[in-house]
Amino acid sequence: MIKVDRLFDLEKKFLNYSSWSGADGIYSYKVGEVIYMYFSDTFIGDSSSGGIRQNFTLINNSLATSYKNNISFIFNKNPVSSVFIPSSGYFWLEDSFLEDDKIFIYALNVENDIFSSNPFEIKGVCLIETSACFKEGNKYKIHELKKDEYNVVWGIATLKEDYYYIYGYINEYGNKKLVLKRNKDLL
């Protein structure tokens, strides 16, 4: 049996009632003494101490750094918007690889169409390349990955050993089938 202890002091750092006030789709990694996190859908705005959201904006991704139990949240502030923005739609962030001083994050390029039978439509998969050490105003590059004949959604999980192992899935008739590819090169 695995024993898990909650870190209540650190957990309290995420209880914000203004500005960054919650997110999902969290991934994290450590460089030196600093823990870096990236999130997908993120609430920016006010909420009551009971967790009722008031006057908020929902953005599609944000970042954070944690050093010695101090957490700093990063998102575009004027106007409030996501850190990583594609030319159309938005990014839902997936797993990543660290390479030297860079991070490569798999990102689903998603478009919502409330009139579609598929309102959460994945238009493609990209790799976002940026500095592994997040800070305000980080520059980034978007590498669009070619669609393969099976329309695999790549990047749901990754592993690097002697090769890059990249997990994904094929959505066939409402069933998701896990697939794996092995590459010598990241891109």
Side-chain angles (χ1 to χ4, degrees):
M1 179 181 193
I2 298 173
K3 184 175 190 272
V4 176
D5 292 320
R6 285 175 67 178
L7 300 174
F8 289 102
D9 289 343
L10 186 56
E11 188 176 293
K12 288 177 188 173
K13 303 285 184 177
F14 287 94
L15 295 176
N16 294 323
Y17 301 107
S18 64
S19 190
W20 189 101
S21 62
D24 66 2
I26 180 173
Y27 289 85
S28 65
Y29 59 94
K30 191 172 184 181
V31 176
E33 296 288 315
V34 181
I35 297 170
Y36 295 91
M37 294 166 269
Y38 58 93
F39 310 91
S40 285
D41 287 347
T42 303
F43 287 100
I44 307 295
D46 300 325
S47 63
S48 70
S49 59
I52 307 295
R53 303 216 184 271
Q54 310 157 338
N55 306 320
F56 67 87
T57 300
L58 180 67
I59 62 173
N60 299 112
N61 56 72
S62 63
L63 312 173
T65 62
S66 176
Y67 178 68
K68 295 187 177 182
N69 289 340
N70 291 315
I71 299 176
S72 298
F73 296 99
I74 302 168
F75 54 92
N76 293 323
K77 293 178 177 64
N78 194 9
V80 171
S81 61
S82 301
V83 173
F84 305 118
I85 302 172
S87 57
S88 69
Y90 62 91
F91 282 137
W92 180 268
L93 306 180
E94 296 285 325
D95 209 354
S96 59
F97 288 107
L98 285 173
E99 291 291 323
D100 301 319
D101 62 344
K102 295 185 186 287
I103 186 167
F104 293 83
I105 303 169
Y106 281 87
L108 305 183
N109 189 340
V110 178
E111 291 199 8
N112 286 346
D113 181 354
I114 60 171
F115 301 109
S116 168
S117 61
N118 186 9
F120 184 79
E121 186 175 351
I122 300 170
K123 295 291 190 180
V125 180
C126 299
L127 265 179
I128 298 171
E129 175 185 350
T130 191
S131 170
C133 300
F134 298 148
K135 62 181 182 220
E136 298 279 341
N138 264 20
K139 302 289 183 213
Y140 62 92
K141 288 184 201 174
I142 298 172
H143 303 277
E144 291 188 28
L145 303 179
K146 289 182 190 173
K147 280 194 167 188
D148 61 26
E149 62 184 297
Y150 302 105
N151 290 320
V152 176
V153 176
W154 293 111
I156 61 171
T158 61
L159 174 69
K160 182 183 176 193
E161 293 193 356
D162 52 334
Y163 286 88
Y164 294 95
Y165 294 90
I166 304 155
Y167 293 85
Y169 65 87
I170 300 170
N171 201 357
E172 285 184 349
Y173 311 109
N175 295 316
K176 292 183 179 176
K177 296 181 178 181
L178 185 66
V179 295
L180 170 66
K181 74 176 172 178
R182 180 179 81 166
N183 281 2
K184 272 290 190 192
D185 298 314
L186 178 59
L187 292 176

